[in-house]
Amino acid sequence: GENVEQHPSTLSVQEGDSAVIKCTYSDSASNYFPWYKQELGKGPQLIIDIRSNVGEKKDQRIAVTLNKTAKHFSLHITETQPEDSAVYFCAETSGNYQLIWGAGTKLIIKP
Amino acid sequence: EPEVTQTPSHQVTQMGQEVILRCVPISNHLYFYWYRQILGQKVEFLVSFYNNEISEKSEIFDDQFSVERPDGSNFTLKIRSTKLEDSAMYFCASSAGPPGTGELFFGEGSRLTVL
């Protein structure tokens, strides 16, 4: 069945360094790939998304890249700050169907 | 800024009891969802609701669960005969369009503890 693999499960980086989280998916029809950030005690919040007709999208310190051939997409956070500490979820869908979610990555920013 | 609101924030219930979790989606949204997250684990889809009917549901959403939009603003999740394993955070979400077209807006969640 459809599946999204997300790695790593935990990522610890020094403040100011970059963080990269990777996801792979299995459905070749997938065309929408959002990333959600979940802070402690809160619901997930969309931080960036990308569609299959684009290879890369950037929003300030956050970027997402998509490789449709290899079926993987990645979240890049540069110049990490303490407020970036959270759990990050990737997800994908092929259209009107529900999002398939990754298992999450706990990002820890060390001061 | 419009937001999804959920009540209660925390509910403790005895095994076998029924609970109702309530949500007020963003007012001009048309698609509504319930998700579940067991502590420290992934976000699990339960059900989506559009045009006053269930549009999609997961294997988790069995006969124990039901959803309703009773009055045009509230969106409720009813869990009958609760079990210990129903203990989780339940998130409501809404979106303006179908799931693959844009952002899902999540509420802050309702924590359900079944004793």
Side-chain angles (χ1 to χ4, degrees), chain A residues 85-104:
Chain A
S85 293
V87 179
Y88 291 81
F89 292 96
C90 64
E92 57 90 5
T93 182
S94 59
N96 290 348
Y97 300 105
Q98 289 311 311
L99 295 174
I100 307 298
W101 293 70

Side-chain angles (χ1 to χ4, degrees), chain B residues 35-103:
Chain B
Y35 284 84
R36 180 180 80 177
Q37 187 176 37
I38 295 169
L39 187 62
Q41 297 187 24
K42 69 189 299 182
V43 177
E44 298 177 295
F45 168 72
L46 293 178
V47 66
S48 60
F49 194 85
Y50 169 71
N51 201 26
N52 285 320
E53 61 182 22
I54 291 173
S55 50
E56 195 173 349
K57 62 182 181 179
S58 71
E59 292 176 352
I60 302 169
F61 195 88
D62 58 21
D63 292 343
Q64 185 192 5
F65 296 88
S66 62
V67 290
E68 196 177 32
R69 188 158 160 82
D71 56 14
S73 61
N74 290 284
F75 179 51
T76 63
L77 174 69
K78 182 187 290 185
I79 309 174
R80 288 179 282 275
S81 189
T82 49
K83 301 173 285 194
L84 295 176
E85 53 265 39
D86 294 327
S87 294
M89 185 73 90
Y90 289 81
F91 289 103
C92 174
S94 69
S95 64
T101 62
E103 182 172 0

